[in-house]
Amino acid sequence: MPHASAIATWLLQIIAPALAAAREPVAVPAATDQAMRYYNSDNLLWFFSTLWGLAIPALFLFTGFSAKLRTWAAGAGRSWFATVAIYFIAFSILGFLIDLPLSFYQDYVREHAYGLSNQTLGKWGSDGLLNLLVNTVLGSLFLWVPYLLLARSPRRWWIYTSALAVPFLFLVIMIAPVWIVPLFNHTGPMKDKQLEAEIQALAHRAGIDGSRLLEIETSVDSRRLNAAVVGFGQTKRIMITDTMLGRMNSDEVLYAVGHEMGHYVLGHVPRTVLFISLLVAVTLGLASRICGFMLTRFGGRFGFNRLSDIASLPLLILVAQLLWLGVAPAFMAYSRAQEHEADRFGLEITRNNHAAATAFVKLQQDNLRNPRPGTLYKLWRAHHPPLGERIDFVNSYAPWEQGQPGLYDGLFEKKQTTLGQAGR
């Protein structure tokens, strides 16, 4: 029999090149011509969509149509609550029909043209109607709250509305994985039981035992890759798209899921809800003053002179969208900071820099991303750090290689191991 040392030497000769390659930084691929066409046309489409989103509520207002719609809703509803609900339902349906040509081009024609969608026309249409139904039901159930506050407390309504946004957002987060997500895509247990066990072990180390692990079938709609930890409390779910499971190896999936677990463990969900509520308070406070000025100036043309009139909904939407352009850079910067924290968390819990980098490369390639977008894009549209920056970070961040602790080591169950080094 060969001597043990000879066998060890032979194995090392086979394994060493693979280990060395795994330690090499992963280069950021240049954006393909197709990706750059998608990026440039997407910027133009975003600009047009923004103007379109301002023009439609303005049209409802300055033609007096919103007031006429309210009068019709009041006649049909006979009570104040029914008037609010009927107006909102009609307003939502009309908005859906007006937006239909743009939505068809943006979400169906264009996505198919760039090879990012598998969706049939029937599925696109049924999903659109279902989304309209969900939004209309939620709006009809809750829209009366801010309008009641407007009537009862016209000076402080925006404070109370912002405070009530907190439990409302938590409610939506809790019910979404159980009642809303399954309406659009089938979810079920993971088919790869070995990978499922590895993810459950990762969840145990992250301190989030008890999460249901689900595979969500998005390949019928899109070729994009995604994963998420969704829900709250008893509705907490770890969801991984079948597109990601089919495209990434086990190491890359573990990093991606570790990133999503970071959002949950680091408390990003409640922090984001509170931050959004703060932005809502600032936006509504400013909107209340601006709308008051516009009612004084144009109330006769609008057909109403009180913000508590449900006919003012397009006015609130118009002013809120304008103000959003001012606060969007703050929200995007906040979101990018959280995504960077989650990138670090995923890297520290897996300690697999190479898999993290190659996962981001696949996201860039499969989702047609520009790895280094322009400054304006980053300020107003990038809720995640650019993929080039993320690849650079995971290539360079490895304090454990110098015997230093990671920032989140104290959050992990001991002992620390490198997960999934071989990949599958």
Side-chain angles (χ1 to χ4, degrees):
M1 292 181 62
H3 194 274
S5 61
I7 295 176
T9 301
W10 176 69
L11 288 173
L12 187 60
Q13 290 175 342
I14 295 175
I15 296 172
L19 292 176
R23 293 191 185 97
E24 285 293 318
V26 175
V28 178
T32 63
D33 290 342
Q34 185 185 35
M36 289 307 299
R37 287 196 302 272
Y38 186 81
Y39 168 76
N40 290 325
S41 62
D42 192 53
N43 285 332
L44 291 174
L45 190 58
W46 175 83
F47 182 75
F48 177 79
S49 298
T50 300
L51 294 179
W52 182 262
L54 296 172
I56 299 307
L59 184 65
F60 271 73
L61 287 171
F62 286 97
T63 61
F65 182 77
S66 183
K68 294 176 182 177
L69 186 63
R70 177 256 292 132
T71 301
W72 170 81
R78 299 182 182 277
S79 71
W80 180 82
F81 290 99
T83 298
V84 171
I86 293 172
Y87 174 94
F88 181 73
I89 292 169
F91 179 79
S92 298
I93 293 173
L94 289 171
F96 174 82
L97 294 174
I98 293 170
D99 283 338
L100 193 59
L102 179 61
S103 298
F104 177 66
Y105 171 75
Q106 182 173 341
D107 300 329
Y108 185 81
V109 174
R110 186 167 175 270
E111 293 295 289
H112 280 80
Y114 282 95
L116 293 172
S117 178
N118 302 314
Q119 203 171 44
T120 65
L121 183 59
K123 180 69 161 56
W124 176 83
S126 63
D127 279 0
L129 291 173
L130 192 56
N131 187 62
L132 172 66
L133 176 63
V134 170
N135 290 333
T136 302
V137 169
L138 289 175
S140 300
L141 289 175
F142 293 102
L143 186 63
W144 63 270
V145 176
Y147 273 95
L148 182 63
L149 292 172
L150 271 164
R152 299 288 177 84
S153 182
R155 292 183 179 274
R156 297 184 178 87
W157 71 276
W158 57 275
I159 299 175
Y160 303 136
T161 300
S162 304
L164 290 173
V166 175
F168 174 75
L169 288 172
F170 274 117
L171 175 64
V172 172
I173 290 169
M174 288 186 67
I175 68 173
V178 179
W179 298 105
I180 298 178
V181 173
L183 293 175
F184 296 90
N185 294 99
H186 178 263
T187 59
M190 282 191 64
K191 300 179 182 67
D192 188 334
K193 297 305 178 183
Q194 181 181 343
L195 180 56
E196 181 180 35
E198 292 176 6
I199 294 173
Q200 293 289 12
L202 196 69
H204 174 73
R205 291 200 57 248
I208 52 175
D209 290 304
S211 302
R212 291 191 61 189
L213 183 57
L214 298 174
E215 182 173 331
I216 178 169
E217 296 180 5
T218 60
S219 57
V220 297
D221 296 324
S222 173
R223 298 178 185 177
R224 298 180 186 274
L225 316 179
N226 205 1
V229 176
V230 295
F232 206 76
Q234 295 299 314
T235 68
K236 182 167 73 264
R237 305 284 192 272
I238 300 172
M239 291 187 172
I240 312 172
T241 63
D242 58 347
T243 51
M244 174 173 282
L245 293 170
R247 179 74 170 95
M248 292 187 177
N249 64 39
S250 60
D251 292 355
E252 294 161 345
V253 171
L254 285 169
Y255 172 76
V257 174
H259 165 99
E260 297 301 334
M261 290 176 182
H263 285 306
Y264 196 88
V265 174
L266 298 176
H268 288 171
V269 173
R271 284 165 52 189
T272 298
V273 167
L274 293 175
F275 186 73
I276 289 174
S277 299
L278 176 62
L279 290 182
V280 168
V282 172
T283 301
L284 291 183
L286 292 172
S288 185
R289 293 178 177 274
I290 296 171
C291 289
F293 167 78
M294 293 187 69
L295 284 174
T296 302
R297 179 71 174 81
F298 301 108
R301 188 167 181 180
F302 292 165
F304 58 90
N305 55 20
R306 293 178 294 108
L307 200 56
S308 58
D309 191 325
I310 186 61
S312 70
L313 183 60
L315 176 60
L316 285 168
I317 292 173
L318 175 64
V319 174
Q321 288 181 334
L322 284 169
L323 291 172
W324 168 250
L325 293 175
V327 302
F331 176 77
M332 295 301 174
Y334 173 82
S335 178
R336 288 195 301 273
Q338 287 202 327
E339 294 298 334
H340 182 66
E341 288 181 352
D343 284 350
R344 187 193 305 271
F345 184 97
L347 199 54
E348 290 188 5
I349 200 170
T350 60
R351 294 192 176 181
N352 195 333
N353 299 69
H354 187 267
T358 55
F360 285 136
V361 167
K362 289 180 180 178
L363 283 174
Q364 175 188 325
Q365 294 171 336
D366 288 33
N367 293 353
L368 291 183
R369 294 301 183 193
N370 176 4
R372 305 201 187 274
T375 302
L376 293 179
Y377 180 97
K378 187 174 178 179
L379 284 174
W380 268 274
R381 303 192 61 200
H383 41 71
H384 287 63
L387 283 167
E389 294 180 12
R390 301 175 83 178
I391 295 171
D392 291 340
F393 172 71
V394 299
N395 274 332
S396 61
Y397 182 76
W400 49 87
E401 291 185 356
Q402 287 75 45
Q404 301 297 319
L407 187 62
Y408 306 124
D409 279 359
L411 301 176
F412 304 146
E413 290 288 334
K414 303 301 179 185
K415 98 177 184 187
Q416 171 69 59
T417 57
T418 302
L419 295 165
Q421 287 293 329
R424 295 203 305 275

